[in-house]
Structures are given as C-alpha cells and as structure tokens.
Amino acid sequence: MLPFARVTVIGLGLIGSSIARGVRSAMPTVRVTGYDADPDVRATATRIDLCDDVADSAGAAVIDADLVVLCVPVGAMGAVAAEFAADLPSDAIVSDVGGSKESVIAALRAVLPDATIVPGHPVAGTEHSGPESGFATLFRGRWCILTPEEATPDAAVIRLRSFWKALGANVEIMTPRHHDLVLAVTSHVPHLIAYSIVGTASDLEEVTQGEVIKYSAGGFRDFTRIAASDPTMWRDVFLNNREAVLEILQRLTEDVTMLQRAIRWGDGDALFDLFTRTRAIRRSIIEQGQDDPAPDFGRSHE
C-alpha cells in the first residue's frame, strides 16, 4: 500500500523536480502537483510534463494534498508555508528537504501551529539546478534524514519513511540538533571551504596570469564543482545553521593551526599520521556506497 495518494511539491528545482520524477516513476498511481514561485519555472515544468498538475499558487497546490514537500531555500520556508497555511488539509503531512533543521522547524511551526510536520533532508544532489536538472534516481542508495519533533505521531514518521524508501533512499532518524551538527561537518563546512578556496584562486588569477584555471587538476577542479552550487540555498544554510557551522569552523581552525606547526617544524610523522587516517575515511565512504571507487571520480578522459 502506498503511503500517500496525492503529493504536492513546492519548489521545482533540482531536488523538487527529482522528487516529482521519482514519484511518477516509482509510484505511478500517485498524483503529483507542483508549484514554484517563478512563473518561468512553472512554464518549464508544464512543458516537460514534470507533474500531473502545475498550480498557479501555493494554496491551490496543497488544497487536496496528503503530503506537502517544501523544496525551497531554508530561509524561505516560513514565508512559503504562510502562503498555503489557510488551504492546507488538516490531515496532511508537511515535510521539507532543507539542509538545516532546527531553524526550519521553528519557521514552519510559527505559521503552521497545528500541522503534522516531519522535517526531512535527502543527502543527495548535484551542482546543477532548475526543473530540467532533476532525475528520478537521484535518491537511490542515498540517505534521507528525518528529524521529527518529540510529539510527532509515529504513524506520520512511518508514512514518510515509506515514501523515501519507495524513492530508493535509505532513511535515518535524528534529532534536529544532532542533524545540524553532523551536516555542518559533512556538508556545510566543506562547501564553505570550497567557496573560500575558489574565491582565493579567483583573486590570484591576475597574479598567476591565468595559470590557476589552466592547470587545474583533480583537487581544485572538484572544489569548483562544489562551489558551483546554488548560492541562494547555501547562503540560507549558513545563516540558519550558524551555531553548528561556527562550532565546526573553530575545530577546523585549531586543526589547521596544528598542520601549520607540523609543516613549519618539519614534523613528517604528524602529517603522515593525519593523511593515513583521512585515507581510511575515504575508503569507508566507498565501502558504504556513498561514492564511486573508480579513479578520478569515474571521469572519462576522451
């Protein structure tokens, strides 16, 4: 039995369009309604037949929904939810895909005080955006983290877990606070480092006469891939998960200082020990199926 009969996706970018495609592929009898605040995105979604119906307003999109999934930047969650609050069915479940959870719960609860809210975060994506960037298998074999409040009915969590499993995801349950700390380590701070390094390289382009770009090898090239991610989404993630991000940045600063000392004083043992530990982590990521073991991230060099 399918967990939902009518799913509404609000925000038809990479994640939202992938959810719509995934539902239509894995649960073809489920009706999918989409909405995006950008009329050009709505027109594109209609043209490519992304959903069964593309609504002209958030309220119209949710009016008969069993599940509403908010796929908008975390800083916009509250405002978007306020647009459909009056039209939301009393028995509908509201979820999201945002990268920070404590702030999202607070924003949604402020405008939907009586709604059943089960926040979620599919840990998947690419550097691309827009309704034509999504694909049905984006979540296959990836983790989706659900962060329900203590008072959330178990039945609602079970239904949403079944939904994400149908899309091919592995599902984990965490508290919102723990999620925000874990993602600060695994996603948010790495993105911040990528933005910083690519920005520094840009500043050095004139000094190096274009050689930073010309001779980009795997390491810098992959930083540029991360740094090409949606700027609005990541701005909002950092502002809405600031405490966890700042905590991890402080730890990182201390570790970088240690590395500076090791390099300055020629402490090769310290460097070797660190590089050995980090190599083992990379191997663990591959063993758990979170990346491809092919050389150079599986890129072809034709």
Side-chain angles (χ1 to χ4, degrees), residues 196-298:
S196 178
I197 288 177
V198 174
T200 299
S202 176
D203 293 340
L204 288 172
E205 268 296 272
E206 183 176 344
V207 177
T208 61
Q209 300 178 346
E211 291 160 331
V212 168
I213 302 300
K214 182 177 179 180
Y215 298 118
S216 293
F220 180 75
R221 182 187 60 205
D222 289 321
F223 274 124
T224 64
R225 178 186 61 80
I226 297 171
S229 300
D230 183 78
T232 301
M233 180 187 78
W234 282 101
R235 176 202 64 194
D236 286 359
V237 165
F238 291 125
L239 294 179
N240 285 275
N241 195 26
R242 59 166 59 90
E243 290 186 12
V245 167
L246 289 173
E247 179 180 341
I248 300 306
L249 277 176
Q250 180 59 43
R251 291 285 300 272
L252 177 64
T253 299
E254 294 168 1
D255 290 342
V256 169
T257 299
M258 180 274 291
L259 285 171
Q260 285 178 305
R261 287 198 300 266
I263 294 169
R264 178 177 293 114
W265 299 110
D267 189 349
D269 289 342
L271 295 175
F272 185 83
D273 289 346
L274 174 64
F275 300 160
T276 300
R277 285 193 292 114
T278 57
R279 189 181 190 187
I281 291 172
R282 169 64 184 169
R283 287 172 174 167
S284 296
I285 289 172
I286 293 172
E287 289 169 1
Q288 293 188 29
Q290 296 305 300
D291 203 355
D292 192 324
D296 201 19
F297 294 89

Side-chain angles (χ1 to χ4, degrees), residues 101 118-123 142-148 157 160-162 164-165 169-176 178-179 182-183 288:
K101 300 277 55 116
V118 185
H121 179 203
V123 186
R142 302 302 179 187
W143 287 98
C144 181
I145 303 170
L146 303 183
T147 62
V157 179
L160 197 59
R161 181 199 289 267
S162 298
W164 280 106
K165 285 192 170 183
N170 304 311
V171 181
E172 185 74 70
I173 308 294
M174 292 184 186
T175 65
H178 187 66
H179 165 279
V182 169
L183 269 294
Q288 293 188 29

